[in-house]
Amino acid sequence: MAIKTTNDKGLTYFYRTIGAAALVWTVTVICSASWNIYNERQQTLALVKKEALANFNKDYAFRLWGTKHGGVYVPPTGQTPPNPYLSHIPDRDITLPSGKRLTLMNPAYMLRQLMADFDELYGINGRITSLKPLNPSNAPDAWEREALTAFEKGAKEFFTITEHHRQRSLRLMRPMVVQAGCLKCHAHQGYKEGDIRGGVGVNVPMAPYMTMEKKAINALLLSHLVIWSIGSTMLVLVFFRGKRFILGQVKSQKAIMQSEEFVDSIVENIPDMVFVKDAANLRFVRFNKAGEKLLGYSREELIGKNNYDFFPKHEADFFTIKDREVFSNNQLIEIREETVRTRHGDEKVLHTKKLPILDREGNPLYLLGISEDITERKQAEKEIRKLNEGLEQRVRERTVELEAKGLELRDSQRALVNIVEDLNMKTEELKKANIKLQEMDRVKSMFIASMSHELRTPLNSIIGFSSILLNEWVGPVNAEQKGNLSTILRSGRHLLNLINDVIDVSKIEAGRIDSVPEDFDLHDVIEEAVHFFAKEIDEKKLSLTVESIHQEMHTDRRRLLQCMLNLLSNAVKYTEKGSVSVQARLGVRDRNLVEISVEDTGIGIREEDFPKLFNAFVRFDSPMRASIPGTGLGLYLTKKLVTEVLKGDILLSSRHREGSTFSIVIPARIDEKGFGNRG
Ligand code: ADP
C-alpha cells in the first residue's frame, strides 16, 4: 500500500528548489560573465580611446607648437619640397646669407609628415582633413565628412569603431579651431579665428586590443565556468544529500506510520480487552475490538467518556482508585479479580493489568489497561470447588467406612495369620509324613527287591518242573494231568511276569535303574523280539510284517528289547484277526533318532482313555478285554523305560475297534551317563 506522506511533497518542493537554485546560479554566472565581458570590452574601448587620445594630444601639441611658430623652415628635400599650396606666402622660400635655402613648412604639413612616419613606425595613423582642403589629397572620406559635419553642428568629438583599410579600428576626430597662427596660410580662404577649419583624426587598429580582449574574455569565461562548475557540484551534492535526507525522513515517517499500523493491528487482534485513558481526565481514548465485544459498547460510545458514564458507582469508584494508584507510583499494577457490569447487565470477572505511559520527562500521558475475561475460568473454579467439597465429603464418608473395613480386615488378617500358622504347622507335619513315606517307600523297595529273589526262586522251580512234567521227560502224563500242568505253567509264568514288572516298577520309582549302553545292530533286536512271538502270531493266524534297518545303536539293548516285547505282547494279545507289523526307520527330521512302531489291527483304544493309558495298573474294562490276562503295568513300565533309560519318547495313535500304533522314538546313541546323543 502506497502511503502519501507530507515528506513526499517535501521531496517535490526540494526538487523544485534545487532546480530553481541551479537556474539562478546559472543565470547569475551567465550575467556575471556577460557583465565582465561587457566591462572588458568597455575597458578595451577605453584603452583604445585613451591611446587614440594620447596620439591626438601629441599631434595636437605638435601642431600647436608649429602654429605658435608660424611654421618652421627646413631645407627643401625630395621628401619635403616647397609646399605649392603656400606659394601665396611671400617668404615661403628663403636663402640664408650662407646661401643655404630654406622652405616654409606650415603646421599641417609638418603634422602630416609626422603622422606618416608614425604610421610607418607604429601602425597608428592620423589625418588632418577639412571640408575645404587646400591640398585635395586632404579631402575627407565618408566617415571624416560625417565627423566634420557633426563638428560644424557643434560636436566636440566624434569617434566610432569601424572598418578602416580592411581592419577594425577606432577612429577618433576632434575639430581643428582656427587660431591666429592659422591665418597666415588660410586667411585667404576666408577663415577667421575661432572657425572650425577641419578636424584632426587618429586611427588606432583594434587587432592587438582585440587579441588581448579575447584572451581576457577567455580567461573570464574559463573562471566563470570553473565557478559555475563548483557551484553546480555543490548544488548536485546538496541535491543528493538533501534527497537522501528527505528520503530517509520519508522512510522513517513511513516506518513510523507502518509501525503504528502494525501496533494497531496487534492491539486490535489481542483477544483481551485493551483500553487507553488519558492521564488527566481518565477518559477513554482508545478501545480495541475485544473490549467492545466484552462490554457491549461500541468504541464511538466509549471514547471521550470515563468510568462513571458506564459503570455502577461502586465499580466506577473502584476503577478510578486503581487508575490513580497507577499514577501515584508510575508503575504497573495488577488486579487479579475485578467485576464489571456490561451493557447487557451481566457481570464479567476480569484479570486486569494497568500501566502508565509517560513522556520523556516522566510525566504521565496515558494509562494502558489490559483485561482478560476470566468469568468462565472463575465459574469452572467454583464448580470444581463444589465438586471438591462433594468429593471431600464422600472421601470423609468413605474414610469412615474404610476405617470400619480396616478393623474387619485386621480381624481377618489376624485370622489369616492363624490359618497360615496352622498351614505351616500342617506343612511341617506333611514334611514329616513325606519323609516317613519316603522311608516307607524305601523300605517297600528294599522289601520288593529282597522278596523278588525269594519269590522268583520257587516260581522258577514251579515253571521248570511243570514244564518237565508237561513234556513227559520223566514219564507219561494223561490228558487231565496235562491240562492241570498247563494251568500251573501259565499261572507260574504270569506270576513271574508280574513279579518282574513289580520289581522293575519299584526300581524305577526308587531311581535305581541306570542305563547300560552297549553297541548293537537295531535289526537284531527287532528280529529277536518278533521271533519271541512268532509262534503265537502263527497260532492266531495273524499276518506279520517286519520292516527293519541295520542301524548301529549304542544304548541299553536289554531295556529296548523289554519295551519291544511289551508292545508286541499287547499287539498280539489285543488282536484277534488281521495283522501285526513292526517298522523301524531313522527319524524324518533328525537322522540321529530311531523310530520303531508296532501296529496292529486289534480292538483299538478309545480316545478318552488315552490320558490314563500310561498310568500304573490301568486296565480298561470291556467285554473284549475280559478274557485277556494282564497286569496293567506293561505300558507304564515301557514309558518309564523309554523316557528315563532310553531317553526317548513314546507316541500313540489308535482308533477304537480298528487298531493301534505305538511308536517309540529314541536316540541311536546315548552316552555312559545315559544322556541322549543326537549328534
Ligand atoms: P496289560 O497287562 O493289561 O496289557 P498294559 O499296561 O500293557 O497292561 O496295557 C494297559 C491296557 O491298555 C490294557 O489293559 C489294554 O486295555 C490296553 N492296551 C494296551 N495295548 C493295547 C493294544 N495294542 N490294543 C488294544 N488295547 C491295548
Side-chain angles (χ1 to χ4, degrees):
M1 185 181 71
I3 302 163
K4 189 82 182 164
T5 66
T6 48
N7 273 328
D8 283 342
K9 289 178 206 157
L11 196 64
T12 316
Y13 178 72
F14 173 71
Y15 288 156
R16 281 192 192 146
T17 308
I18 289 289
L23 192 70
V24 168
W25 173 243
T26 307
V27 168
T28 306
V29 171
I30 288 170
C31 286
S32 165
S34 306
W35 172 248
N36 278 295
I37 289 167
Y38 171 76
N39 262 346
E40 192 62 40
R41 285 196 175 136
Q42 287 304 111
Q43 270 183 22
T44 306
L45 199 62
L47 210 66
V48 180
K49 195 176 168 188
K50 206 165 180 225
E51 186 166 11
L53 274 174
N55 278 292
F56 177 86
N57 288 338
K58 178 210 54 159
D59 289 352
Y60 180 70
F62 182 65
R63 195 166 52 82
L64 199 66
W65 178 81
T67 308
K68 260 190 208 159
H69 293 89
V72 291
Y73 283 95
V74 296
T77 60
Q79 205 191 349
T80 317
N83 190 343
Y85 304 107
L86 298 179
S87 55
H88 61 280
I89 296 178
D91 295 330
R92 189 190 74 175
D93 301 297
I94 57 169
T95 307
L96 293 177
S98 62
K100 191 171 182 176
R101 293 186 64 214
L102 296 170
T103 187
L104 179 71
M105 285 187 86
N106 66 333
Y109 191 17
M110 283 156 55
L111 195 61
R112 213 169 284 127
Q113 270 199 0
L114 183 85
M115 281 172 169
D117 288 349
F118 202 79
D119 184 14
E120 222 168 87
L121 284 169
Y122 306 109
I124 298 169
N125 58 30
R127 240 168 80 87
I128 301 172
T129 184
S130 169
L131 289 170
K132 288 185 262 176
L134 286 177
N135 185 345
S137 65
N138 290 339
D141 58 20
W143 182 84
E144 288 165 336
R145 185 173 298 283
E146 196 184 340
L148 291 167
T149 313
F151 297 150
E152 299 237 307
K153 286 176 184 161
K156 297 279 179 249
E157 190 178 80
F158 191 83
F159 81 96
T160 54
I161 307 259
T162 179
E163 279 298 310
H164 185 60
H165 295 309
R166 282 199 295 281
Q167 62 175 349
R168 206 166 165 70
S169 309
L170 181 129
R171 297 187 75 178
L172 173 86
M173 186 171 265
R174 281 193 175 171
M176 200 158 61
V177 182
V178 176
Q179 294 171 337
C182 303
L183 292 174
K184 181 179 174 186
C185 303
H186 298 283
H188 70 279
Q189 287 176 289
Y191 290 117
K192 42 185 198 305
E193 254 184 273
D195 281 354
I196 304 292
R197 206 194 69 68
V200 181
V202 183
N203 186 21
V204 184
M206 293 290 287
Y209 295 97
M210 293 293 276
T211 311
M212 275 166 58
E213 185 192 88
K214 206 172 172 187
K215 269 189 192 165
I217 288 174
N218 281 348
L220 254 170
L221 283 173
L222 190 69
S223 61
H224 275 79
L225 190 70
V226 169
I227 290 166
W228 180 81
S229 302
I230 291 169
S232 300
T233 309
M234 302 273 280
L235 273 174
V236 169
L237 282 177
V238 168
F239 171 74
F240 281 116
R241 300 200 87 177
K243 188 181 169 186
R244 203 185 313 149
F245 174 75
I246 291 169
L247 283 177
Q249 291 279 91
V250 170
K251 216 167 151 190
S252 59
Q253 194 174 338
K254 276 182 186 169
I256 288 166
M257 286 177 74
Q258 278 169 357
S259 68
E260 273 176 19
E261 279 176 21
F262 180 61
V263 170
D264 276 355
S265 73
I266 290 174
V267 168
E268 277 309 298
N269 286 304
I270 288 175
D272 296 336
M273 174 167 80
V274 178
F275 57 90
V276 179
K277 293 174 179 180
D278 72 288
N281 305 312
L282 295 176
R283 289 180 188 280
F284 291 113
V285 293
R286 180 105 197 228
F287 235 86
N288 74 341
K289 229 188 291 170
E292 288 180 311
K293 204 172 153 200
L294 182 83
L295 296 181
Y297 295 106
S298 73
R299 67 186 79 179
E300 286 75 24
E301 289 173 299
L302 288 158
I303 304 277
K305 309 279 173 51
N306 66 21
N307 294 325
Y308 292 94
D309 295 321
F310 296 96
F311 310 121
K313 191 177 173 304
H314 67 280
E315 275 178 19
D317 282 344
F318 177 77
F319 297 149
T320 310
I321 289 165
K322 288 291 169 189
D323 291 350
R324 296 235 166 85
E325 200 180 314
V326 172
F327 293 118
S328 64
N329 296 320
N330 276 349
Q331 64 184 28
L332 179 143
I333 64 160
E334 187 171 359
I335 305 133
R336 296 204 169 273
E337 207 176 313
E338 59 178 6
T339 47
V340 65
R341 192 165 294 279
T342 71
R343 172 180 226 148
H344 313 297
D346 46 349
E347 270 188 357
K348 295 273 180 193
V349 186
L350 304 178
H351 174 195
T352 301
K353 283 175 188 161
K354 292 180 175 179
L355 63 151
I357 296 173
L358 310 173
D359 65 10
R360 282 168 197 276
E361 281 76 42
N363 303 313
L365 286 176
Y366 298 108
L367 178 142
L368 170 67
I370 302 166
S371 298
E372 186 192 354
D373 181 2
I374 54 167
T375 316
E376 280 178 18
R377 199 207 303 167
K378 281 284 144 192
Q379 189 60 34
E381 277 175 13
K382 211 188 252 175
E383 275 164 26
I384 287 169
R385 246 198 320 275
K386 235 190 239 169
L387 225 86
N388 268 350
E389 278 163 14
L391 275 172
E392 276 168 15
Q393 181 56 32
R394 283 176 67 186
V395 167
R396 272 195 294 277
E397 286 166 13
R398 276 291 154 92
T399 312
V400 173
E401 273 174 35
L402 278 172
E403 274 169 5
K405 292 262 168 178
L407 285 175
E408 279 174 28
L409 211 74
R410 258 202 303 280
D411 292 345
S412 306
Q413 256 176 352
R414 237 174 256 145
L416 219 72
V417 169
N418 292 339
I419 290 168
V420 170
E421 278 172 4
D422 285 353
L423 270 173
N424 285 342
M425 271 168 66
K426 293 276 175 213
T427 310
E428 275 304 305
E429 280 170 19
L430 276 172
K431 267 187 196 164
K432 280 176 190 163
N434 202 17
I435 291 166
K436 217 172 180 177
L437 273 173
Q438 278 174 2
E439 185 57 25
M440 280 168 74
D441 201 47
R442 202 178 58 82
V443 171
K444 178 199 82 180
S445 296
M446 276 172 63
F447 168 75
I448 289 168
S450 57
M451 283 305 286
S452 67
H453 177 72
E454 300 302 322
L455 284 170
R456 274 192 288 196
T457 309
L459 256 177
N460 282 333
S461 299
I462 292 166
I463 291 165
F465 285 117
S466 58
S467 180
I468 288 168
L469 288 173
L470 198 60
N471 286 324
E472 297 177 330
W473 289 345
V474 288
V477 281
N478 63 28
E480 193 188 344
Q481 285 169 329
K482 264 190 184 175
N484 291 334
L485 281 171
S486 290
T487 305
I488 292 166
L489 186 60
R490 202 169 51 247
S491 301
R493 278 185 181 150
H494 179 68
L495 195 59
L496 185 63
N497 279 342
L498 184 65
I499 288 166
N500 282 341
D501 284 352
V502 168
I503 289 166
D504 279 344
V505 166
S506 66
K507 273 185 181 172
I508 284 169
E509 282 178 353
R512 283 180 33 210
I513 284 194
D514 292 326
S515 298
V516 186
E518 57 184 300
D519 292 325
F520 61 92
D521 187 346
L522 178 66
H523 181 75
D524 294 347
V525 175
I526 289 171
E527 281 288 300
E528 197 178 329
V530 170
H531 180 74
F532 211 85
F533 293 98
K535 195 172 160 220
E536 209 171 330
I537 289 169
D538 199 37
E539 280 169 6
K540 288 183 97 171
K541 297 197 172 44
L542 300 173
S543 73
L544 173 71
T545 321
V546 180
E547 271 180 53
S548 163
I549 49 167
H550 289 283
Q551 169 66 37
E552 272 184 34
M553 304 285 285
H554 181 79
T555 187
D556 196 323
R557 189 180 192 281
R558 193 170 72 84
R559 294 299 178 188
L560 176 60
L561 181 65
Q562 191 180 347
C563 292
M564 289 293 302
L565 290 174
N566 275 343
L567 295 180
L568 270 167
S569 158
N570 282 348
V572 176
K573 250 200 304 190
Y574 299 107
T575 305
E576 285 311 313
K577 56 177 187 221
S579 64
V580 171
S581 33
V582 179
Q583 196 188 36
R585 58 170 184 254
L586 288 179
V588 182
R589 268 172 289 178
D590 187 346
R591 311 295 285 174
N592 295 303
L593 293 177
V594 171
E595 187 181 325
I596 307 154
S597 356
V598 179
E599 189 181 350
D600 64 63
T601 55
I603 56 172
I605 303 156
R606 284 195 180 86
E607 211 174 320
E608 62 264 28
D609 293 333
F610 284 11
K612 302 177 258 175
L613 197 65
F614 294 99
N615 290 344
F617 302 107
V618 168
R619 302 209 71 227
F620 300 118
D621 293 330
S622 76
M624 281 184 287
R625 287 179 171 85
S627 59
I628 301 168
T631 58
L633 283 174
L635 285 180
Y636 172 74
L637 200 59
T638 304
K639 181 161 187 181
K640 285 275 179 193
L641 289 173
V642 168
T643 54
E644 290 177 24
V645 179
L646 299 173
K647 307 299 169 194
D649 207 355
I650 182 159
L651 309 165
L652 160 69
S653 82
S654 179
R655 289 174 80 87
H656 187 51
R657 293 175 193 275
E658 285 181 21
S660 317
T661 305
F662 287 86
S663 305
I664 56 174
V665 182
I666 54 165
R669 304 185 69 80
I670 57 170
D671 59 26
E672 301 306 314
K673 287 174 187 160
F675 295 115
N677 191 343
R678 298 190 175 183

